[in-house]
Amino acid sequence: MTLAASGDESHGPPLVRARGVSVRFGRRSVLDSVDLQVHAGEIVTLVGLNGAGKSTLIRVILGILQPERGTVERAPGLRIGYSPQHVRRDPILPITVRRFLTLGARARSDRLKAALDEVGAGAILDFPLAEISGGEMQRVLLARALLREPGLLVLDEPLSGVDIASQSELYNLIGTLRDRYGCGVLLVSHDLHLVMAASDTVVCLNRHVCCTGRPQAVLRDPEFISLFGPHLSESVAVYQHIHDHRHDALGEPMAIDADAPEPATEPATGAARQP
C-alpha cells in the first residue's frame, strides 16, 4: 500500500501535524523549527543519529512536552496508542502481563487476550512480566497500545530488544495492523534497511529536518548521505525486503512453501514455556 508522501493533502487532513516545533534544554537546542505530519494509513518513520531529537519530538507529539516555539495540531477526537522505547521491569515486582496491560485502564479479560493474540503473544497473558523476552515485551507494548483503539500508533524504537530473526516479522505485523485498522503510524527506528522497505515517508532528523519524503528519494538526498555516509546509503538502496521467505531459528532465510501452514509469529511465544 503506497500513499502520498507527508505533505500531500490528497488523502485528507493529517491526523497530527507539527509546525515549526523548537525545543531547548537550557542553552542546548534539541529541535529547531521541525515540521512533521502523519495521515491515516501512512507509516512515517523518524531516523537520525543518537541525540538528533527523535524521542523529544515524539514527546512533543504526545503532548508530554511543550515546545518553546511552534504548534502541534491533532485531529478532533484522535486516540493515540503509544509504545515507549524502554519499560523498566523489576524482577522483584510480581506483576503479570495481564496486570501490566490494565495499568491505568480497565479492560475485560477477553479483550486482553484478543489484543495479545493479534500481536502473536496470546500464550503469555499470565506470565510474569520480568520473565518474558525482549521480543515478547515489544509485542505486549504493541498490544497495550492497540487496547486504546487508536487512530494513530506512536512507536518509539519498536525493535528494541528484538532478535534479528524476528525484526522483519515485527515490522510486517505493524504494516498489517496499519492495513487492518487504517490507522496512521509514527515510529522511530535505527534499522535503516527495514525502515526503507516498510515506510511510506521517512523524516531524517538532526535537530532540524534534514530531508523528508519517499524512502528512495531520501536515500539520494545529499544531507542524508552526509549524515549516514555514502556506503550505508548505497547498501540500503539496493536492499529490498521482499517477504518471499521465512527465517529459521538462526535467522537464516527459508523458502516459503505455498501449501505449508503459516508458523507462529514468534516461536518463543508458544505454550511450551511453563508459567
Side-chain angles (χ1 to χ4, degrees):
M1 183 178 189
T2 303
L3 302 174
S6 187
D8 188 330
E9 297 292 328
S10 62
H11 293 275
L15 297 171
V16 65
R17 189 203 310 260
R19 297 177 185 265
V21 166
S22 297
V23 174
R24 298 183 67 88
F25 294 150
R27 297 182 178 181
R28 184 166 65 96
S29 174
V30 180
L31 294 174
D32 183 17
S33 300
V34 170
D35 295 336
L36 176 140
Q37 57 186 0
V38 184
H39 291 81
E42 181 183 29
I43 296 180
V44 176
T45 302
L46 293 173
V47 301
L49 302 177
N50 289 335
K54 301 184 297 296
S55 291
T56 298
L57 181 57
I58 290 293
R59 293 169 65 196
V60 172
I61 295 294
L62 293 172
I64 298 172
L65 180 67
Q66 294 301 313
E68 180 182 50
R69 294 192 308 275
T71 61
V72 175
E73 304 163 6
R74 301 175 187 86
L78 177 66
R79 288 193 299 270
I80 299 178
Y82 172 53
S83 175
Q85 181 176 355
H86 299 294
V87 172
R88 184 173 179 271
R89 294 186 280 169
D90 190 339
I92 300 176
L93 184 64
I95 183 173
T96 63
V97 170
R98 180 191 298 271
R99 176 62 180 140
F100 175 75
L101 288 174
T102 58
L103 290 177
R106 294 182 179 180
R108 298 192 313 270
S109 183
D110 58 337
R111 283 198 65 212
L112 300 180
K113 182 63 164 58
L116 284 175
D117 284 341
E118 193 158 32
V119 299
I124 65 173
L125 179 59
D126 292 306
F127 287 6
L129 191 70
E131 296 181 10
I132 65 176
S133 71
E136 288 169 338
M137 187 67 209
Q138 290 300 328
R139 292 173 189 271
V140 168
L141 290 171
L142 189 53
R144 190 168 188 267
L146 289 175
L147 285 171
R148 291 184 53 82
E149 300 180 356
L152 175 66
L153 276 174
V154 178
L155 313 176
D156 194 353
E157 292 288 358
L159 299 188
S160 178
V162 179
D163 61 86
I164 294 175
S166 300
Q167 287 180 358
S168 62
E169 292 179 355
L170 191 55
Y171 255 115
N172 288 338
L173 173 61
I174 292 169
T176 296
L177 294 172
R178 180 273 306 267
D179 293 340
R180 183 175 300 161
Y181 295 107
C183 60
V185 180
L186 173 62
L187 66 87
V188 174
S189 180
H190 282 95
D191 194 314
L192 297 181
H193 291 88
L194 289 175
V195 162
M196 295 304 173
S199 301
D200 298 302
T201 300
V202 175
V203 179
C204 182
L205 202 64
N206 188 21
R207 295 187 293 275
H208 66 283
V209 175
C210 299
C211 50
T212 183
R214 300 288 191 193
Q216 291 302 321
V218 169
L219 283 171
R220 296 190 296 268
D221 191 282
E223 288 202 62
F224 180 90
I225 295 171
S226 174
L227 197 61
F228 290 101
H231 299 297
L232 179 58
S233 180
E234 291 167 4
S235 70
V236 175
V238 300
Y239 179 93
Q240 296 292 329
H241 189 79
I242 302 172
H243 207 68
D244 58 355
H245 60 274
R246 299 183 185 131
H247 299 276
D248 63 20
L250 298 177
E252 295 299 323
M254 302 168 54
I256 287 179
D257 181 351
D259 297 323
E262 284 291 325
T265 307
E266 184 173 300
T269 303
R273 184 204 301 256
Q274 296 299 316

